[in-house]
Amino acid sequence: MHKVFDNTAATRQAPSETLSLALELLSRASVTPEDAGCQTLIGERLAQLDFHLEWMDQGEVRNLWAVRGQTGPTLVLAGHTDVVPTGPEHLWQTPPFSPCIDEHGYLRGRGAADMKGSLAAMVTAVERFVTAHPDHRGRIAFLLTSDEEGPAHDGTRAVVEILRARNESIDYCIVGEPSSEAHFGDVIKNGRRGSLNGVLRIHGIQGHVAYPQLARNPIHQAMPALNALVAEHWDNGNAFFPPTSFQISNIHGGTGANNVIPGELEVTFNLRFSTEVTAQALKTRIEALLDTYALDWHIDWQLSGEPFMTVPGALTEAVSAALFDITGSSPRLSTGGGTSDARFIATLGPQTIEFGPRNATIHQRDERILATDLDLMSQALESTLDRLLR
């Protein structure tokens, strides 16, 4: 049963422009790949600021590339309007698509942290900056998609390829993923590890457990090889990345009967890897290791993303200075966590970071962030624009 909050104290003052926009976006059930009109809403506001809107839809996926300005350094604000499924809605304290600000000052709703709140902060920061500096130097661009939480094939990846084909120049990119940990602004991501997935199939000969001489058990055969893969030292990492990690996520073998030797074993694994090694080098090493064992094997590979890293420079310095002015402390640079659409944008060569609210409740029931953090984020983004494009 949903809990009803008394918002009288929390909403005694009308919500800020940022929170008003966030509440509107959160009320739209844009479960991936749905956009539910979020980008149209944002696009209408950007058009009033003389942004040129270009829709780059692919299949079911809504994509928006919006640009203001003609020449000079380009700063891209990137993000996604799709959210992950809610799970059983009756287990939420408040309905996931009926956002509210609770008595403790938390903005509640699916997408509050990941990442409609950030989108609202981006829009209002740009509105204030452009109003104050209509003749700012350079270009401001928005890259929005509804395919970040899904397969991520027809969203940012597709837009990036279009931009690459026409030689679009991007200097800076801020992706609004929730990067903060203990408190707002304590961490910004200046890179991410690569992610390489593999499905290993080891073929044996099915048979009766009482006659093992007539069968070949792929589970027994696989154990030494799997142990070697788990024990393998892939690299030492570097100053920005931890060592590469190999993790087995699923093993399946057998028919379900206790008297049948299986004919095949399937092992799903993932490597999160640093810039010290390439995906192809990892594939080659794994395949060579497997070849040292008497196995009949095959691997299907899927590369989710290459690692990227933005060395400290103009963008990290501008965001760090803005956060210090607002919070009184400097953020820590990190490359930890999973993958995001930043991995696609970084291939175009810009300085790329992820910066957003706390990530403590992303993808969980009762997703929430402090409402005041969105206003702080909007201020920090406006200050960053001022430092880079004024």
Side-chain angles (χ1 to χ4, degrees):
M1 187 172 181
H2 294 132
K3 182 177 180 180
V4 177
F5 288 106
D6 178 4
N7 285 335
T8 304
T11 59
R12 190 166 290 144
Q13 294 181 334
S16 66
E17 278 292 315
T18 301
L19 282 171
S20 293
L21 178 54
L23 288 165
E24 174 63 23
L25 293 171
L26 288 168
S27 70
R28 300 174 181 234
S30 56
V31 177
T32 190
E34 292 296 326
D35 169 70
C38 292
Q39 291 179 45
T40 297
L41 174 64
I42 292 172
E44 289 171 350
R45 295 178 70 137
L46 296 179
Q48 294 177 15
L49 301 173
D50 296 324
F51 275 78
H52 171 69
L53 308 186
E54 187 174 358
W55 299 101
M56 298 183 178
D57 297 355
Q58 303 283 325
E60 297 181 289
V61 176
R62 189 73 160 155
N63 298 312
L64 174 61
W65 172 248
V67 182
R68 187 183 199 277
Q70 301 296 324
T71 61
T74 300
L75 188 153
V76 174
L77 299 170
H80 58 91
T81 53
D82 60 319
V83 297
V84 296
T86 64
E89 293 194 15
H90 70 276
L91 296 178
W92 286 60
Q93 291 193 49
T94 59
F97 296 114
S98 296
C100 67
I101 300 172
D102 70 20
E103 71 267 30
H104 303 295
Y106 282 91
L107 173 65
R108 307 176 70 93
R110 173 58 86 223
D114 191 12
M115 56 164 283
K116 292 180 178 180
S118 292
L119 296 180
M122 289 174 169
V123 171
T124 57
V126 168
E127 287 175 335
R128 292 193 306 274
F129 176 76
V130 169
T131 299
H133 309 288
D135 298 320
H136 63 83
R137 71 188 187 96
R139 301 193 305 163
I140 305 172
F142 278 77
L143 196 170
L144 306 179
T145 184
S146 65
D147 184 37
E148 198 274 347
E149 300 290 8
H153 290 150
D154 294 329
T156 299
R157 182 201 295 262
V159 174
V160 163
E161 291 312 310
I162 294 172
L163 300 180
R164 191 192 316 279
R166 64 193 197 191
N167 296 317
E168 285 274 4
S169 176
I170 298 176
D171 299 276
Y172 314 110
C173 180
I174 299 174
V175 183
E177 291 290 346
S179 63
S180 301
E181 296 180 356
H183 59 81
F184 171 74
D186 61 347
V187 175
I188 59 177
K189 306 282 188 181
N190 67 321
R192 292 280 191 163
R193 294 174 294 174
S195 178
L196 177 63
N197 302 290
V199 178
L200 168 64
R201 292 180 176 86
I202 298 174
H203 305 287
I205 298 176
Q206 183 173 317
H208 196 293
V209 294
Y211 301 95
Q213 71 276 14
L214 301 178
R216 188 172 74 245
N217 193 322
I219 297 176
H220 294 182
Q221 286 192 306
M223 286 181 178
L226 295 181
N227 184 62
L229 287 170
V230 171
E232 181 74 4
H233 180 73
W234 304 99
D235 58 58
N236 294 319
N238 54 37
F240 299 98
F241 289 93
T244 294
S245 168
F246 174 92
Q247 291 293 321
I248 294 172
S249 56
N250 198 5
I251 294 179
H252 176 75
T255 65
N258 62 8
N259 60 352
V260 178
I261 293 172
E264 183 177 276
L265 174 69
E266 181 179 285
V267 180
T268 304
F269 61 88
N270 174 269
L271 295 106
R272 295 300 168 103
F273 60 101
S274 73
T275 50
E276 292 297 303
V277 67
T278 66
Q280 185 55 53
L282 290 171
K283 292 179 185 179
T284 299
R285 286 178 62 181
I286 289 172
E287 291 171 358
L289 187 151
L290 291 171
D291 280 339
T292 63
Y293 294 86
L295 301 175
D296 179 5
W297 62 270
H298 173 79
I299 297 180
D300 291 315
W301 295 103
Q302 181 187 26
L303 178 63
S304 296
E306 295 280 2
F308 77 91
M309 201 269 293
T310 293
V311 297
L315 181 58
T316 58
E317 290 170 3
V319 175
S320 296
L323 285 170
F324 183 82
D325 288 347
I326 293 169
T327 68
S329 60
S330 297
R332 172 173 57 87
L333 299 181
S334 170
T335 61
T339 59
S340 78
D341 278 356
R343 69 192 188 274
F344 304 128
I345 301 169
T347 65
L348 294 174
Q351 298 179 40
T352 304
I353 66 166
E354 298 171 34
F355 163 51
R358 289 188 65 201
N359 54 26
T361 61
I362 59 174
H363 293 204
Q364 296 181 14
R365 294 197 300 268
D366 299 314
E367 183 177 347
R368 61 199 179 276
I369 56 173
L370 280 173
T372 52
D373 284 353
L374 289 189
D375 289 319
L376 294 178
M377 181 175 178
S378 184
Q379 293 173 36
L381 289 169
E382 182 185 7
S383 177
T384 299
L385 288 163
D386 193 72
R387 294 168 193 273
L388 293 174
L389 297 182
R390 183 174 176 180

